[in-house]
Amino acid sequence: MTTEILIRLTAMGDVLLAVPAARALARAGREVHWVLHRRWAALAPFLPAAHVHLLGGCRDLLLLAKQLRHLKPACTNDLQGKPLSVALSALLGTPIRRYGKRSLREQIRAARGEYPLRPADPEQVWLRYARAAGVEAKPEDARIELSEAGLLNAGAWLEREAGIGASFTLLHPAAAHAGKTIPQVGIDAILSALPRPVVLIGDSDGTITAGEGIVDLRGRTPLELLPFLMAHARALISTDSGPMHLGRAVGIPVAGLFFQTDPCLGFAPIPGPGIRVFSRELACKPCSLHGRRQPCPEGTWACRNFDWSELAAGLAEFVANPA
């Protein structure tokens, strides 16, 4: 069997979007060795690879390159395309297939604050990863594998820590950047409409008070446990974030909410049964690649100007009938 290196270091969502490419490589008869940043080590057991190698930073490059060269890889698939992965792939001395995230023109426009940021390549990122690796991926390749023991442990943890069993709705209202987060008015409307129990996940910011039928697990759920907890849920409602992609990888119904960012950038959840995206089409959108722009350049925050009662009702209907 031919050995190939796959480099996708960060971040959670991008790592999970590379799963179909890894599965397609394995299906083509390649033994995949995945290089992952140490920060995301908790994801390693779930990735479809013969072995996951952890890279902490530049000082690890020479030692890791030596270890990987001993595998005699036939090719390196650099799906990161950043200085650290470029340096590692160069040290391996193999033929390289490299993913290019943005054209130079797009990067310059984003750096200048110009918008809307419409990509030259409209293909979704998971498909672009597969194309860069020279394979054909399918939506069903997105799933990660969960052990029966892990599922049982997660069920016991939920009973012990939250006092709930299965069939709850997950809500992930925050994100790494403010332009992706659900505004408070939206959170209030969604919580009012969703069937109970609702379990909150993500980082705790103090904006939500757990009430009747609302369980706040924010800041209490380690990443290595989160996929197993998700598998017990009836559905996930999430911002454009890593947990959105994790829910898709676990295989539960997912509703993804996009505000300042946009699915046209390629980071919508991988399509499949029970996957829906909610996003407003606006002339000014997307104005940011990652939701970092603050304040709104138009002064309106129109990307968040949903009819929240209507959206909340739609999300409740989705949870009840996700197919």
Side-chain angles (χ1 to χ4, degrees):
M1 181 178 286
T2 301
T3 297
E4 294 197 11
I5 308 300
L6 187 155
I7 306 173
R8 183 64 234 189
L9 303 171
T10 61
M12 190 201 313
D14 300 270
V15 169
L16 294 166
L17 288 173
V19 164
R23 287 209 183 283
L25 284 168
R27 191 166 54 243
R30 286 73 174 272
E31 182 178 275
V32 177
H33 285 252
W34 193 311
V35 181
L36 179 70
H37 196 282
R38 195 175 301 279
R39 178 185 176 189
W40 299 105
L43 292 175
F46 306 104
L47 299 179
H51 189 79
V52 177
H53 306 263
L54 300 179
L55 177 62
C58 293
R59 59 184 150 186
D60 298 337
L61 279 175
L62 291 177
L63 179 59
L64 180 57
K66 182 178 179 181
Q67 293 171 349
L68 294 177
R69 283 198 300 267
H70 280 307
L71 299 173
K72 301 187 184 324
C75 181
T76 300
N77 300 281
D78 177 9
L79 303 186
Q80 189 81 27
K82 294 292 183 68
L84 193 60
S85 62
V86 170
L88 177 59
S89 57
L91 288 169
L92 296 180
T94 71
I96 301 168
R97 304 187 190 111
R98 180 165 287 126
Y99 164 71
K101 188 172 184 179
R102 303 283 171 206
S103 68
L104 180 60
R105 181 175 179 275
E106 289 177 68
Q107 293 179 50
I108 292 172
R109 291 191 71 239
R112 288 176 173 173
E114 298 177 21
Y115 64 93
L117 299 170
R118 305 276 162 71
D121 186 348
E123 192 172 39
Q124 292 293 293
V125 167
W126 70 279
L127 289 170
R128 293 171 65 186
Y129 285 163
R131 175 162 38 104
V135 290
E136 183 177 347
K138 305 172 184 177
E140 51 267 35
D141 293 329
R143 291 286 294 273
I144 58 175
E145 296 180 1
L146 302 178
S147 69
E148 191 62 33
L151 291 169
L152 290 172
N153 288 337
W157 188 93
L158 282 166
E159 290 276 3
R160 184 175 65 253
E161 299 293 326
I164 58 173
S167 297
F168 52 87
T169 303
L170 284 169
L171 175 61
H172 180 250
H177 304 294
K180 293 183 178 183
T181 61
I182 304 177
Q184 189 62 48
V185 62
I187 293 172
D188 293 341
I190 292 169
L191 286 176
S192 296
L194 290 180
R196 301 296 192 258
V198 177
V199 174
L200 305 172
I201 57 171
D203 295 328
S204 181
D205 59 7
T207 61
I208 304 173
T209 302
E212 186 176 352
I214 301 173
V215 180
D216 192 352
L217 295 183
R218 291 174 303 161
R220 298 169 52 197
T221 313
L223 181 54
E224 57 268 22
L225 182 64
L226 186 56
F228 297 107
L229 295 183
M230 284 183 164
H232 288 276
R234 63 162 70 94
L236 166 68
I237 296 168
S238 175
T239 56
D240 172 18
S241 60
M244 176 186 73
H245 295 291
L246 185 58
R248 171 63 180 94
V250 167
I252 61 173
V254 175
L257 308 183
F258 286 73
F259 302 112
Q260 197 177 84
T261 56
D262 191 277
C264 76
L265 293 173
F267 294 97
I270 295 171
I275 304 299
R276 287 193 60 187
V277 170
F278 294 83
S279 178
R280 299 193 71 207
E281 292 187 12
L282 299 167
C284 58
K285 181 179 173 179
C287 66
S288 168
L289 295 176
H290 304 292
R292 288 193 179 102
R293 192 185 283 270
Q294 188 74 273
C296 168
E298 299 281 309
T300 63
W301 282 112
C303 60
R304 299 185 186 186
N305 190 22
F306 283 88
D307 181 327
W308 288 107
S309 295
E310 181 180 334
L311 177 60
L315 290 172
E317 174 62 27
F318 166 78
V319 170
N321 300 287

